[in-house]
Amino acid sequence: MTYQNYSLDQLRAIDNAHHLHPFTDHKDLRAAGTRVVVSAEGPFVYDTEGNEILDAMAGLWCVNAGYGREELVEAATAQMRELPYYNSFFRCTTPTPTLLSQKLAEISPGNINQVFYGSSGSESNDTALRLVRHYWALEGRPEKNIVISRNWAYHGSTIAGTSLGGMEAMHAQLYGAVPNIRHVMCPYAYENAEPGESDHDFGLRAAKAVEDAILEAGAENVAAFIGEPIQGAGGVKIPPASYWPEIQRICEKYDVLLMLDEVITGYGRTGEWFAAQSMNIKPDTITTAKGLTSGYQPLSALLVGDRIANTLVEKGGEFYHGYTYSGHPVACAVALKNIEIIEREGLIDRVREDTGPYLGDALKAGLGDHPLVGEIRTCGLLAAVEIVRDKSTRERFQPAGSAPVVIRDHAIASGIMMRAVMDTMIMSPPLIWTRETVDMAVERIGKALDLAQADLATT
Ligand SMILES: *Cc1c(COP(=O)(O)O)cnc(C)c1O
């Protein structure tokens, strides 16, 4: 590419003139201008001004194996030379999605042995929604089609993804949601637990909200419950340990399918291949994307449990659904190589045994006493820092979400890329982080918090 022929100002001007960005206030962006990221290596990204920024978000929760992986480039190049594209419609297949499916069946929970591909998490959630409803129709129970989800859920940005999700601002722009999707409270103890309520009890109460919704709809009308094991974009909301086993029990009791959205938690982030394994639950579907290719190619995989897959096979009849790029050979070649790297380098064991616990300890030791910090919670390499005006009362800065944006800007200027979600700062670093990288991150976040505190004190 020859972007080097353009100055930074030229690139920004062209971007402003022609590029509509995702999740953006376009008026605001035109005034502020964009940061142009041009290269990356290991845990760092570099912008046109030569700033080296530690990427604590792994891109958008996806670059699990880190940047600059020559092997992934080679896997893609070799596959493009041999067969850049062929589809898996019309009784055809190609080798890489075939072998990737076998690998995914091997590393996923025991009841999961089939895979349906897309190019994004949103697409695979659309597939999942259609599939669970189709399953009940094939079983002769088409009226069993309500799906229960949760507030603050993020399941993507297509119409189905937005409808499944629980983001109010996104729903307000749906202008007609997919029908028969209902939302209940999410297991967010820091804001929703009653004073004196234990984590354990709160987890059971949050699960009870799902049971209540099933009973209200009538179990005979409920197809499935969908949830992210840890709500990511909603603010890294980590449920109490009591929550997921209770959800599993409720789903079994009412014969409601369990759909997990592991687009963030999949491929090692929680210290197992999937959070379903960390939390010891057996879902009927698992939506995955992001870390599947470490973001080097767009690819998603809906992992489909035996119960649903067997019905598709036994009952027959075409399932009228699929994408031009379902099982794209190049994307699947990259995914296979990416999984090989994660295995060979023991990245998942490292997260579980070493860097995951170390991240939690280091954040708490380094930042826990900071006056702006209300709570720190982590699971594997996912972390959230609650930002408060008053630690003891948990009072927030006003307006909601304003303080974390100040912190985020200082964080980036201090050399660490983090995200602000409402009143929470979040992190989802590449799995290649070492203890040294964690220490570097804690130091930079501490600096950003101090600088932000000076700003916020004057407001
Ligand atoms: C990112 C994300 C999605 C959507 O994936 P896209 O590839 O952006 O469509 C869905 N679910 C979760 C949990 C996500 O984090």
Side-chain angles (χ1 to χ4, degrees):
M1 230 208 354
T2 53
Y3 71 83
Q4 285 88 349
N5 297 339
Y6 296 86
S7 71
L8 174 60
D9 285 344
Q10 283 173 321
L11 282 173
R12 283 200 172 129
I14 296 168
D15 198 68
N16 255 352
H18 301 293
H19 183 186
L20 292 171
H21 291 242
F23 282 93
T24 289
D25 176 336
H26 294 95
K27 184 174 178 187
D28 186 64
L29 180 69
R30 290 207 182 183
T34 44
R35 173 184 304 278
V36 186
V37 172
V38 288
S39 65
E41 183 60 39
F44 299 109
V45 296
Y46 300 88
D47 65 17
T48 34
E49 281 143 328
N51 295 310
E52 179 181 272
I53 306 170
L54 184 61
D55 184 9
M57 283 307 297
L60 262 181
W61 324 83
C62 56
V63 188
N64 287 15
Y67 296 100
R69 290 284 189 173
E70 207 45 50
E71 281 179 278
L72 297 183
V73 179
E74 279 161 19
T77 313
Q79 183 59 45
M80 272 194 238
R81 284 215 174 86
E82 193 167 300
L83 180 68
Y85 175 76
Y86 201 74
N87 62 71
S88 9
F89 289 52
F90 321 127
R91 298 187 182 173
C92 288
T93 191
T94 66
T96 57
T98 301
L99 296 178
L100 179 60
S101 305
Q102 181 188 43
K103 187 71 198 175
L104 294 177
E106 179 195 317
I107 63 176
S108 58
N111 65 312
I112 291 180
N113 292 292
Q114 313 275 331
V115 186
F116 196 111
Y117 293 103
S119 304
S120 70
S122 303
E123 283 180 10
S124 279
N125 277 330
D126 200 309
T127 301
L129 177 62
R130 294 190 59 174
L131 194 57
V132 296
R133 288 178 168 170
H134 185 55
Y135 165 83
W136 287 115
L138 286 175
E139 291 290 337
R141 303 180 67 182
E143 71 289 349
K144 203 163 159 69
N145 73 358
I146 292 174
V147 175
I148 295 169
S149 177
R150 301 172 299 172
N151 302 331
W152 291 108
Y154 187 76
H155 297 303
S157 175
T158 54
I159 291 178
T162 304
S163 303
L164 287 168
M167 302 287 186
E168 271 178 34
M170 291 177 71
H171 271 258
Q173 295 176 351
L174 261 178
Y175 314 111
V178 174
N180 288 347
I181 297 171
R182 301 189 183 175
H183 296 84
V184 301
M185 75 181 280
C186 62
Y188 180 30
Y190 189 70
E191 282 202 347
N192 297 339
E194 302 291 345
E197 186 178 31
S198 72
D199 250 24
H200 178 84
D201 289 351
F202 173 71
L204 295 181
R205 180 159 69 86
K208 175 86 169 27
V210 176
E211 181 166 27
D212 291 346
I214 293 172
L215 291 171
E216 196 192 318
E220 67 282 8
N221 301 315
V222 179
F225 169 76
I226 184 167
E228 304 151 80
I230 292 168
Q231 288 183 310
V236 182
K237 295 175 161 60
I238 304 174
S242 57
Y243 182 76
W244 278 109
E246 181 65 3
I247 291 284
Q248 171 103 62
R249 188 190 69 76
I250 290 166
C251 286
E252 277 168 13
K253 179 172 178 192
Y254 297 102
D255 202 14
V256 164
L257 296 172
L258 177 54
M259 305 163 72
L260 283 191
D261 184 342
E262 296 225 35
V263 171
I264 286 173
T265 52
Y267 306 105
R269 185 149 296 288
T270 67
E272 298 283 349
W273 280 110
F274 300 99
Q277 294 149 334
S278 314
M279 293 165 186
N280 200 18
I281 46 178
K282 290 237 176 315
D284 294 293
T285 61
I286 303 182
T287 310
T288 75
K290 294 190 173 130
L292 169 57
T293 59
S294 286
Y296 282 65
Q297 285 282 296
L299 181 68
S300 60
L302 179 70
L303 313 181
V304 180
D306 294 338
R307 180 175 178 181
I308 294 175
N310 289 346
T311 290
L312 281 181
V313 174
E314 280 160 21
K315 306 273 178 183
E318 182 166 347
F319 180 42
Y320 297 104
H321 176 72
Y323 307 106
T324 303
Y325 297 134
S326 288
H328 194 287
V330 178
C332 290
V334 171
L336 273 166
K337 186 56 78 177
N338 178 56
I339 290 171
E340 184 190 313
I341 291 171
I342 292 173
E343 273 183 328
R344 189 178 65 222
E345 298 187 359
L347 294 180
I348 295 180
D349 292 344
R350 195 209 283 186
V351 169
R352 188 182 57 250
E353 309 289 335
D354 185 35
T355 47
Y358 186 79
L359 175 68
D361 293 346
L363 284 172
K364 283 173 192 155
L367 311 175
D369 290 335
H370 198 280
L372 290 177
V373 174
E375 177 181 76
I376 291 166
R377 50 178 185 270
T378 68
C379 175
L381 287 193
L382 275 172
V385 181
E386 293 287 350
I387 303 303
V388 290
R389 186 181 192 112
D390 183 322
K391 278 170 105 78
S392 58
T393 62
R394 301 188 178 181
E395 183 201 339
R396 305 286 194 173
F397 287 91
Q398 294 304 325
S402 54
V405 174
V406 176
I407 298 168
R408 180 201 60 202
D409 291 345
H410 281 301
I412 298 171
S414 307
I416 180 164
M417 188 65 82
M418 293 180 78
R419 242 177 100 183
V421 177
M422 289 303 287
D423 283 305
T424 313
M425 301 296 303
I426 57 175
M427 279 164 69
S428 171
L431 311 188
I432 55 163
W433 272 26
T434 60
R435 289 182 176 219
E436 288 69 38
T437 335
V438 170
D439 291 342
M440 181 189 287
V442 172
E443 192 210 309
R444 292 180 183 188
I445 299 167
K447 186 175 157 199
L449 286 171
D450 289 344
L451 291 168
Q453 198 194 357
D455 292 352
L456 292 165
T458 64
T459 60

